[in-house]
Amino acid sequence: MATETETKNTIPLWLAIAITVVVSLPFGIWLSNLNLPLWAAFIVWAEYFTLGAQPSALKIMVPAFILGVVGGALICELYQVLAQIFGNGNVVNFGLQTLTYNNTALYIAFFVGFCILIYAMKWMPVVNGAGTLPFFNGVSVFLGVYFTGTYLGWFNTLNITANLQYWVVVFCAISAILGGILGAFLGWFNVVILFPRQVKKAA
């Protein structure tokens, strides 16, 4: 008669999560102007568990998330083009950088851009099914980075002044993607340090 087994964690989940959080902190506080948005990483970390907490999930999560970020970035680049046509709008102060938003250009770019992006999902198999969540999270993380000015440290490091409005979008995308990749690593790491093992199932 075969012996039934079950999976037991060597380290409890609560301790593994605490360790993983501490491991993530240097990426958000030690890189100075190039700090990554840890909140974005934590979102993707949660996605890893939602999609089964298996390494195979990364093959869906990472490309779908990146596609979402790129989609959001293209929409915002469209906005920047339209803003040049409609002119400057409302001034928004991000603390270190003051930018202007043209409401007309923003509404048009987001309406047209999201119509195209969502329709185009039919040609992106990885974003359907299990990839839908990371895809939309990629879009939302990008927009979160963009509208909160999380990316501003990159400008202090690289000292870019020409075509600022277009570089804003580029650095938002880079910051969001790197934050997402960090989150994917954290999810994988969190499971690994549980050191799961097979034990005989209690009668």
Side-chain angles (χ1 to χ4, degrees), residues 131-164:
T132 302
L133 175 62
F135 176 74
F136 281 106
N137 277 345
V139 175
S140 61
V141 164
F142 168 81
L143 294 177
V145 171
Y146 180 75
F147 283 111
T148 59
T150 307
Y151 55 85
L152 292 175
W154 293 71
F155 291 98
N156 295 337
T157 299
L158 301 176
N159 195 29
I160 293 176
T161 56
N163 297 315
L164 175 64

PDB file of all heavy atoms in Angstrom, residues 131-164:
ATOM      1  N   GLY A 131      -2.906  35.531 -17.976  1.00  0.00           N
ATOM      2  CA  GLY A 131      -2.105  36.735 -18.198  1.00  0.00           C
ATOM      3  C   GLY A 131      -2.877  38.034 -18.120  1.00  0.00           C
ATOM      4  O   GLY A 131      -2.276  39.116 -18.157  1.00  0.00           O
ATOM      5  N   THR A 132      -4.204  37.952 -17.999  1.00  0.00           N
ATOM      6  CA  THR A 132      -5.004  39.177 -17.963  1.00  0.00           C
ATOM      7  C   THR A 132      -4.678  40.035 -16.751  1.00  0.00           C
ATOM      8  O   THR A 132      -4.512  41.258 -16.864  1.00  0.00           O
ATOM      9  CB  THR A 132      -6.511  38.834 -17.967  1.00  0.00           C
ATOM     10  OG1 THR A 132      -6.814  38.061 -19.127  1.00  0.00           O
ATOM     11  CG2 THR A 132      -7.351  40.107 -17.991  1.00  0.00           C
ATOM     12  N   LEU A 133      -4.573  39.405 -15.578  1.00  0.00           N
ATOM     13  CA  LEU A 133      -4.285  40.154 -14.355  1.00  0.00           C
ATOM     14  C   LEU A 133      -2.941  40.871 -14.421  1.00  0.00           C
ATOM     15  O   LEU A 133      -2.878  42.090 -14.195  1.00  0.00           O
ATOM     16  CB  LEU A 133      -4.345  39.227 -13.135  1.00  0.00           C
ATOM     17  CG  LEU A 133      -3.941  39.866 -11.788  1.00  0.00           C
ATOM     18  CD1 LEU A 133      -4.874  40.997 -11.419  1.00  0.00           C
ATOM     19  CD2 LEU A 133      -3.905  38.804 -10.691  1.00  0.00           C
ATOM     20  N   PRO A 134      -1.820  40.187 -14.720  1.00  0.00           N
ATOM     21  CA  PRO A 134      -0.549  40.910 -14.796  1.00  0.00           C
ATOM     22  C   PRO A 134      -0.518  41.958 -15.903  1.00  0.00           C
ATOM     23  O   PRO A 134       0.156  42.983 -15.762  1.00  0.00           O
ATOM     24  CB  PRO A 134       0.489  39.806 -15.028  1.00  0.00           C
ATOM     25  CG  PRO A 134      -0.269  38.606 -15.449  1.00  0.00           C
ATOM     26  CD  PRO A 134      -1.623  38.729 -14.848  1.00  0.00           C
ATOM     27  N   PHE A 135      -1.244  41.727 -16.993  1.00  0.00           N
ATOM     28  CA  PHE A 135      -1.293  42.717 -18.069  1.00  0.00           C
ATOM     29  C   PHE A 135      -1.906  44.026 -17.575  1.00  0.00           C
ATOM     30  O   PHE A 135      -1.323  45.104 -17.726  1.00  0.00           O
ATOM     31  CB  PHE A 135      -2.093  42.173 -19.248  1.00  0.00           C
ATOM     32  CG  PHE A 135      -2.289  43.168 -20.367  1.00  0.00           C
ATOM     33  CD1 PHE A 135      -1.238  43.484 -21.212  1.00  0.00           C
ATOM     34  CD2 PHE A 135      -3.515  43.780 -20.563  1.00  0.00           C
ATOM     35  CE1 PHE A 135      -1.410  44.401 -22.242  1.00  0.00           C
ATOM     36  CE2 PHE A 135      -3.703  44.696 -21.587  1.00  0.00           C
ATOM     37  CZ  PHE A 135      -2.648  45.008 -22.436  1.00  0.00           C
ATOM     38  N   PHE A 136      -3.080  43.932 -16.960  1.00  0.00           N
ATOM     39  CA  PHE A 136      -3.732  45.146 -16.465  1.00  0.00           C
ATOM     40  C   PHE A 136      -2.992  45.753 -15.284  1.00  0.00           C
ATOM     41  O   PHE A 136      -3.002  46.977 -15.098  1.00  0.00           O
ATOM     42  CB  PHE A 136      -5.196  44.862 -16.120  1.00  0.00           C
ATOM     43  CG  PHE A 136      -6.087  44.820 -17.328  1.00  0.00           C
ATOM     44  CD1 PHE A 136      -6.563  43.627 -17.816  1.00  0.00           C
ATOM     45  CD2 PHE A 136      -6.433  45.995 -17.986  1.00  0.00           C
ATOM     46  CE1 PHE A 136      -7.365  43.585 -18.943  1.00  0.00           C
ATOM     47  CE2 PHE A 136      -7.246  45.966 -19.114  1.00  0.00           C
ATOM     48  CZ  PHE A 136      -7.712  44.761 -19.606  1.00  0.00           C
ATOM     49  N   ASN A 137      -2.342  44.905 -14.489  1.00  0.00           N
ATOM     50  CA  ASN A 137      -1.521  45.450 -13.418  1.00  0.00           C
ATOM     51  C   ASN A 137      -0.318  46.191 -13.983  1.00  0.00           C
ATOM     52  O   ASN A 137       0.144  47.173 -13.400  1.00  0.00           O
ATOM     53  CB  ASN A 137      -1.062  44.340 -12.463  1.00  0.00           C
ATOM     54  CG  ASN A 137      -2.112  44.009 -11.423  1.00  0.00           C
ATOM     55  OD1 ASN A 137      -3.059  44.756 -11.216  1.00  0.00           O
ATOM     56  ND2 ASN A 137      -1.957  42.882 -10.767  1.00  0.00           N
ATOM     57  N   GLY A 138       0.207  45.723 -15.106  1.00  0.00           N
ATOM     58  CA  GLY A 138       1.295  46.438 -15.761  1.00  0.00           C
ATOM     59  C   GLY A 138       0.870  47.832 -16.190  1.00  0.00           C
ATOM     60  O   GLY A 138       1.598  48.811 -16.001  1.00  0.00           O
ATOM     61  N   VAL A 139      -0.337  47.915 -16.756  1.00  0.00           N
ATOM     62  CA  VAL A 139      -0.871  49.221 -17.150  1.00  0.00           C
ATOM     63  C   VAL A 139      -1.057  50.111 -15.928  1.00  0.00           C
ATOM     64  O   VAL A 139      -0.637  51.273 -15.909  1.00  0.00           O
ATOM     65  CB  VAL A 139      -2.221  49.064 -17.892  1.00  0.00           C
ATOM     66  CG1 VAL A 139      -2.822  50.437 -18.198  1.00  0.00           C
ATOM     67  CG2 VAL A 139      -2.042  48.269 -19.171  1.00  0.00           C
ATOM     68  N   SER A 140      -1.681  49.565 -14.877  1.00  0.00           N
ATOM     69  CA  SER A 140      -1.975  50.382 -13.692  1.00  0.00           C
ATOM     70  C   SER A 140      -0.713  50.789 -12.944  1.00  0.00           C
ATOM     71  O   SER A 140      -0.624  51.913 -12.439  1.00  0.00           O
ATOM     72  CB  SER A 140      -2.938  49.635 -12.753  1.00  0.00           C
ATOM     73  OG  SER A 140      -2.356  48.430 -12.300  1.00  0.00           O
ATOM     74  N   VAL A 141       0.278  49.894 -12.881  1.00  0.00           N
ATOM     75  CA  VAL A 141       1.542  50.245 -12.224  1.00  0.00           C
ATOM     76  C   VAL A 141       2.232  51.360 -12.988  1.00  0.00           C
ATOM     77  O   VAL A 141       2.743  52.324 -12.400  1.00  0.00           O
ATOM     78  CB  VAL A 141       2.457  49.011 -12.100  1.00  0.00           C
ATOM     79  CG1 VAL A 141       3.896  49.433 -11.789  1.00  0.00           C
ATOM     80  CG2 VAL A 141       1.946  48.078 -11.016  1.00  0.00           C
ATOM     81  N   PHE A 142       2.253  51.255 -14.314  1.00  0.00           N
ATOM     82  CA  PHE A 142       2.859  52.325 -15.110  1.00  0.00           C
ATOM     83  C   PHE A 142       2.174  53.661 -14.838  1.00  0.00           C
ATOM     84  O   PHE A 142       2.833  54.682 -14.608  1.00  0.00           O
ATOM     85  CB  PHE A 142       2.795  52.017 -16.606  1.00  0.00           C
ATOM     86  CG  PHE A 142       3.146  53.199 -17.447  1.00  0.00           C
ATOM     87  CD1 PHE A 142       4.476  53.538 -17.663  1.00  0.00           C
ATOM     88  CD2 PHE A 142       2.161  54.022 -17.989  1.00  0.00           C
ATOM     89  CE1 PHE A 142       4.819  54.664 -18.404  1.00  0.00           C
ATOM     90  CE2 PHE A 142       2.490  55.148 -18.721  1.00  0.00           C
ATOM     91  CZ  PHE A 142       3.822  55.470 -18.937  1.00  0.00           C
ATOM     92  N   LEU A 143       0.846  53.672 -14.883  1.00  0.00           N
ATOM     93  CA  LEU A 143       0.116  54.914 -14.650  1.00  0.00           C
ATOM     94  C   LEU A 143       0.344  55.431 -13.233  1.00  0.00           C
ATOM     95  O   LEU A 143       0.410  56.639 -13.010  1.00  0.00           O
ATOM     96  CB  LEU A 143      -1.380  54.707 -14.911  1.00  0.00           C
ATOM     97  CG  LEU A 143      -1.755  54.403 -16.364  1.00  0.00           C
ATOM     98  CD1 LEU A 143      -3.260  54.146 -16.482  1.00  0.00           C
ATOM     99  CD2 LEU A 143      -1.346  55.541 -17.295  1.00  0.00           C
ATOM    100  N   GLY A 144       0.464  54.512 -12.266  1.00  0.00           N
ATOM    101  CA  GLY A 144       0.762  54.921 -10.898  1.00  0.00           C
ATOM    102  C   GLY A 144       2.110  55.615 -10.804  1.00  0.00           C
ATOM    103  O   GLY A 144       2.250  56.647 -10.145  1.00  0.00           O
ATOM    104  N   VAL A 145       3.111  55.031 -11.466  1.00  0.00           N
ATOM    105  CA  VAL A 145       4.445  55.635 -11.478  1.00  0.00           C
ATOM    106  C   VAL A 145       4.401  56.999 -12.167  1.00  0.00           C
ATOM    107  O   VAL A 145       4.976  57.979 -11.700  1.00  0.00           O
ATOM    108  CB  VAL A 145       5.450  54.699 -12.189  1.00  0.00           C
ATOM    109  CG1 VAL A 145       6.781  55.398 -12.410  1.00  0.00           C
ATOM    110  CG2 VAL A 145       5.658  53.431 -11.376  1.00  0.00           C
ATOM    111  N   TYR A 146       3.674  57.062 -13.280  1.00  0.00           N
ATOM    112  CA  TYR A 146       3.605  58.286 -14.082  1.00  0.00           C
ATOM    113  C   TYR A 146       2.931  59.431 -13.322  1.00  0.00           C
ATOM    114  O   TYR A 146       3.448  60.551 -13.268  1.00  0.00           O
ATOM    115  CB  TYR A 146       2.852  57.996 -15.380  1.00  0.00           C
ATOM    116  CG  TYR A 146       2.704  59.188 -16.292  1.00  0.00           C
ATOM    117  CD1 TYR A 146       3.777  59.661 -17.034  1.00  0.00           C
ATOM    118  CD2 TYR A 146       1.469  59.836 -16.425  1.00  0.00           C
ATOM    119  CE1 TYR A 146       3.636  60.750 -17.875  1.00  0.00           C
ATOM    120  CE2 TYR A 146       1.326  60.919 -17.268  1.00  0.00           C
ATOM    121  CZ  TYR A 146       2.406  61.374 -17.992  1.00  0.00           C
ATOM    122  OH  TYR A 146       2.262  62.451 -18.824  1.00  0.00           O
ATOM    123  N   PHE A 147       1.780  59.160 -12.736  1.00  0.00           N
ATOM    124  CA  PHE A 147       1.006  60.234 -12.127  1.00  0.00           C
ATOM    125  C   PHE A 147       1.457  60.596 -10.706  1.00  0.00           C
ATOM    126  O   PHE A 147       1.000  61.589 -10.155  1.00  0.00           O
ATOM    127  CB  PHE A 147      -0.482  59.879 -12.123  1.00  0.00           C
ATOM    128  CG  PHE A 147      -1.138  60.051 -13.468  1.00  0.00           C
ATOM    129  CD1 PHE A 147      -1.566  58.953 -14.196  1.00  0.00           C
ATOM    130  CD2 PHE A 147      -1.309  61.312 -14.010  1.00  0.00           C
ATOM    131  CE1 PHE A 147      -2.156  59.103 -15.431  1.00  0.00           C
ATOM    132  CE2 PHE A 147      -1.904  61.482 -15.258  1.00  0.00           C
ATOM    133  CZ  PHE A 147      -2.329  60.373 -15.970  1.00  0.00           C
ATOM    134  N   THR A 148       2.332  59.793 -10.118  1.00  0.00           N
ATOM    135  CA  THR A 148       2.838  60.138  -8.785  1.00  0.00           C
ATOM    136  C   THR A 148       4.252  60.695  -8.820  1.00  0.00           C
ATOM    137  O   THR A 148       4.787  61.110  -7.790  1.00  0.00           O
ATOM    138  CB  THR A 148       2.825  58.911  -7.846  1.00  0.00           C
ATOM    139  OG1 THR A 148       3.630  57.867  -8.412  1.00  0.00           O
ATOM    140  CG2 THR A 148       1.410  58.406  -7.636  1.00  0.00           C
ATOM    141  N   GLY A 149       4.870  60.704  -9.993  1.00  0.00           N
ATOM    142  CA  GLY A 149       6.216  61.265 -10.086  1.00  0.00           C
ATOM    143  C   GLY A 149       7.281  60.384  -9.469  1.00  0.00           C
ATOM    144  O   GLY A 149       8.354  60.867  -9.101  1.00  0.00           O
ATOM    145  N   THR A 150       7.025  59.067  -9.377  1.00  0.00           N
ATOM    146  CA  THR A 150       7.979  58.152  -8.769  1.00  0.00           C
ATOM    147  C   THR A 150       9.312  58.115  -9.509  1.00  0.00           C
ATOM    148  O   THR A 150      10.346  57.805  -8.934  1.00  0.00           O
ATOM    149  CB  THR A 150       7.375  56.728  -8.738  1.00  0.00           C
ATOM    150  OG1 THR A 150       6.098  56.789  -8.112  1.00  0.00           O
ATOM    151  CG2 THR A 150       8.250  55.758  -7.972  1.00  0.00           C
ATOM    152  N   TYR A 151       9.306  58.438 -10.774  1.00  0.00           N
ATOM    153  CA  TYR A 151      10.458  58.317 -11.657  1.00  0.00           C
ATOM    154  C   TYR A 151      11.436  59.483 -11.569  1.00  0.00           C
ATOM    155  O   TYR A 151      12.480  59.476 -12.202  1.00  0.00           O
ATOM    156  CB  TYR A 151       9.968  58.258 -13.110  1.00  0.00           C
ATOM    157  CG  TYR A 151       9.093  59.441 -13.441  1.00  0.00           C
ATOM    158  CD1 TYR A 151       9.640  60.640 -13.852  1.00  0.00           C
ATOM    159  CD2 TYR A 151       7.718  59.366 -13.277  1.00  0.00           C
ATOM    160  CE1 TYR A 151       8.839  61.737 -14.102  1.00  0.00           C
ATOM    161  CE2 TYR A 151       6.912  60.444 -13.522  1.00  0.00           C
ATOM    162  CZ  TYR A 151       7.472  61.630 -13.946  1.00  0.00           C
ATOM    163  OH  TYR A 151       6.673  62.726 -14.177  1.00  0.00           O
ATOM    164  N   LEU A 152      11.126  60.510 -10.805  1.00  0.00           N
ATOM    165  CA  LEU A 152      11.873  61.771 -10.903  1.00  0.00           C
ATOM    166  C   LEU A 152      13.347  61.647 -10.562  1.00  0.00           C
ATOM    167  O   LEU A 152      14.162  62.418 -11.052  1.00  0.00           O
ATOM    168  CB  LEU A 152      11.210  62.825 -10.003  1.00  0.00           C
ATOM    169  CG  LEU A 152       9.826  63.254 -10.497  1.00  0.00           C
ATOM    170  CD1 LEU A 152       9.185  64.199  -9.491  1.00  0.00           C
ATOM    171  CD2 LEU A 152       9.919  63.925 -11.854  1.00  0.00           C
ATOM    172  N   GLY A 153      13.704  60.697  -9.725  1.00  0.00           N
ATOM    173  CA  GLY A 153      15.102  60.536  -9.376  1.00  0.00           C
ATOM    174  C   GLY A 153      15.989  60.231 -10.570  1.00  0.00           C
ATOM    175  O   GLY A 153      17.174  60.576 -10.585  1.00  0.00           O
ATOM    176  N   TRP A 154      15.413  59.578 -11.599  1.00  0.00           N
ATOM    177  CA  TRP A 154      16.195  59.251 -12.785  1.00  0.00           C
ATOM    178  C   TRP A 154      16.708  60.519 -13.463  1.00  0.00           C
ATOM    179  O   TRP A 154      17.809  60.534 -14.004  1.00  0.00           O
ATOM    180  CB  TRP A 154      15.350  58.431 -13.759  1.00  0.00           C
ATOM    181  CG  TRP A 154      15.005  57.074 -13.245  1.00  0.00           C
ATOM    182  CD1 TRP A 154      14.140  56.778 -12.230  1.00  0.00           C
ATOM    183  CD2 TRP A 154      15.531  55.827 -13.690  1.00  0.00           C
ATOM    184  NE1 TRP A 154      14.082  55.421 -12.029  1.00  0.00           N
ATOM    185  CE2 TRP A 154      14.914  54.804 -12.906  1.00  0.00           C
ATOM    186  CE3 TRP A 154      16.442  55.466 -14.685  1.00  0.00           C
ATOM    187  CZ2 TRP A 154      15.198  53.466 -13.092  1.00  0.00           C
ATOM    188  CZ3 TRP A 154      16.722  54.118 -14.864  1.00  0.00           C
ATOM    189  CH2 TRP A 154      16.108  53.134 -14.078  1.00  0.00           C
ATOM    190  N   PHE A 155      15.911  61.581 -13.433  1.00  0.00           N
ATOM    191  CA  PHE A 155      16.331  62.825 -14.077  1.00  0.00           C
ATOM    192  C   PHE A 155      17.471  63.485 -13.313  1.00  0.00           C
ATOM    193  O   PHE A 155      18.364  64.089 -13.897  1.00  0.00           O
ATOM    194  CB  PHE A 155      15.143  63.789 -14.190  1.00  0.00           C
ATOM    195  CG  PHE A 155      14.109  63.324 -15.164  1.00  0.00           C
ATOM    196  CD1 PHE A 155      12.976  62.669 -14.734  1.00  0.00           C
ATOM    197  CD2 PHE A 155      14.277  63.516 -16.521  1.00  0.00           C
ATOM    198  CE1 PHE A 155      12.026  62.211 -15.629  1.00  0.00           C
ATOM    199  CE2 PHE A 155      13.341  63.075 -17.436  1.00  0.00           C
ATOM    200  CZ  PHE A 155      12.212  62.419 -16.989  1.00  0.00           C
ATOM    201  N   ASN A 156      17.433  63.378 -11.998  1.00  0.00           N
ATOM    202  CA  ASN A 156      18.507  63.965 -11.191  1.00  0.00           C
ATOM    203  C   ASN A 156      19.836  63.276 -11.470  1.00  0.00           C
ATOM    204  O   ASN A 156      20.896  63.892 -11.374  1.00  0.00           O
ATOM    205  CB  ASN A 156      18.175  63.844  -9.699  1.00  0.00           C
ATOM    206  CG  ASN A 156      16.956  64.659  -9.319  1.00  0.00           C
ATOM    207  OD1 ASN A 156      16.614  65.612  -9.996  1.00  0.00           O
ATOM    208  ND2 ASN A 156      16.294  64.267  -8.243  1.00  0.00           N
ATOM    209  N   THR A 157      19.774  61.988 -11.813  1.00  0.00           N
ATOM    210  CA  THR A 157      20.995  61.233 -12.089  1.00  0.00           C
ATOM    211  C   THR A 157      21.507  61.479 -13.503  1.00  0.00           C
ATOM    212  O   THR A 157      22.702  61.680 -13.714  1.00  0.00           O
ATOM    213  CB  THR A 157      20.740  59.723 -11.901  1.00  0.00           C
ATOM    214  OG1 THR A 157      20.357  59.485 -10.547  1.00  0.00           O
ATOM    215  CG2 THR A 157      21.985  58.908 -12.228  1.00  0.00           C
ATOM    216  N   LEU A 158      20.611  61.497 -14.466  1.00  0.00           N
ATOM    217  CA  LEU A 158      21.014  61.581 -15.874  1.00  0.00           C
ATOM    218  C   LEU A 158      21.010  63.002 -16.422  1.00  0.00           C
ATOM    219  O   LEU A 158      21.515  63.248 -17.509  1.00  0.00           O
ATOM    220  CB  LEU A 158      20.107  60.688 -16.718  1.00  0.00           C
ATOM    221  CG  LEU A 158      20.126  59.206 -16.308  1.00  0.00           C
ATOM    222  CD1 LEU A 158      19.128  58.412 -17.131  1.00  0.00           C
ATOM    223  CD2 LEU A 158      21.522  58.626 -16.485  1.00  0.00           C
ATOM    224  N   ASN A 159      20.397  63.932 -15.689  1.00  0.00           N
ATOM    225  CA  ASN A 159      20.399  65.347 -16.063  1.00  0.00           C
ATOM    226  C   ASN A 159      19.908  65.575 -17.497  1.00  0.00           C
ATOM    227  O   ASN A 159      20.580  66.197 -18.321  1.00  0.00           O
ATOM    228  CB  ASN A 159      21.814  65.928 -15.892  1.00  0.00           C
ATOM    229  CG  ASN A 159      21.804  67.442 -15.921  1.00  0.00           C
ATOM    230  OD1 ASN A 159      20.812  68.074 -15.548  1.00  0.00           O
ATOM    231  ND2 ASN A 159      22.900  68.038 -16.361  1.00  0.00           N
ATOM    232  N   ILE A 160      18.736  65.050 -17.775  1.00  0.00           N
ATOM    233  CA  ILE A 160      18.143  65.207 -19.106  1.00  0.00           C
ATOM    234  C   ILE A 160      17.204  66.405 -19.108  1.00  0.00           C
ATOM    235  O   ILE A 160      16.352  66.546 -18.235  1.00  0.00           O
ATOM    236  CB  ILE A 160      17.370  63.934 -19.506  1.00  0.00           C
ATOM    237  CG1 ILE A 160      18.352  62.781 -19.694  1.00  0.00           C
ATOM    238  CG2 ILE A 160      16.580  64.156 -20.787  1.00  0.00           C
ATOM    239  CD1 ILE A 160      17.691  61.467 -19.995  1.00  0.00           C
ATOM    240  N   THR A 161      17.363  67.264 -20.075  1.00  0.00           N
ATOM    241  CA  THR A 161      16.490  68.444 -20.190  1.00  0.00           C
ATOM    242  C   THR A 161      15.779  68.499 -21.531  1.00  0.00           C
ATOM    243  O   THR A 161      14.674  69.022 -21.635  1.00  0.00           O
ATOM    244  CB  THR A 161      17.303  69.735 -19.995  1.00  0.00           C
ATOM    245  OG1 THR A 161      18.388  69.756 -20.936  1.00  0.00           O
ATOM    246  CG2 THR A 161      17.867  69.807 -18.577  1.00  0.00           C
ATOM    247  N   ALA A 162      16.405  67.992 -22.597  1.00  0.00           N
ATOM    248  CA  ALA A 162      15.795  68.042 -23.927  1.00  0.00           C
ATOM    249  C   ALA A 162      14.685  66.995 -24.040  1.00  0.00           C
ATOM    250  O   ALA A 162      14.826  65.864 -23.570  1.00  0.00           O
ATOM    251  CB  ALA A 162      16.855  67.798 -25.000  1.00  0.00           C
ATOM    252  N   ASN A 163      13.574  67.389 -24.687  1.00  0.00           N
ATOM    253  CA  ASN A 163      12.430  66.479 -24.878  1.00  0.00           C
ATOM    254  C   ASN A 163      12.003  65.817 -23.576  1.00  0.00           C
ATOM    255  O   ASN A 163      11.709  64.618 -23.525  1.00  0.00           O
ATOM    256  CB  ASN A 163      12.773  65.405 -25.927  1.00  0.00           C
ATOM    257  CG  ASN A 163      13.038  65.983 -27.289  1.00  0.00           C
ATOM    258  OD1 ASN A 163      12.308  66.849 -27.762  1.00  0.00           O
ATOM    259  ND2 ASN A 163      14.106  65.533 -27.926  1.00  0.00           N
ATOM    260  N   LEU A 164      11.944  66.617 -22.528  1.00  0.00           N
ATOM    261  CA  LEU A 164      11.655  66.102 -21.194  1.00  0.00           C
ATOM    262  C   LEU A 164      10.367  65.302 -21.150  1.00  0.00           C
ATOM    263  O   LEU A 164      10.294  64.241 -20.539  1.00  0.00           O
ATOM    264  CB  LEU A 164      11.581  67.270 -20.201  1.00  0.00           C
ATOM    265  CG  LEU A 164      11.164  66.928 -18.770  1.00  0.00           C
ATOM    266  CD1 LEU A 164      12.200  66.023 -18.130  1.00  0.00           C
ATOM    267  CD2 LEU A 164      10.983  68.193 -17.952  1.00  0.00           C
TER     268      LEU A 164
END
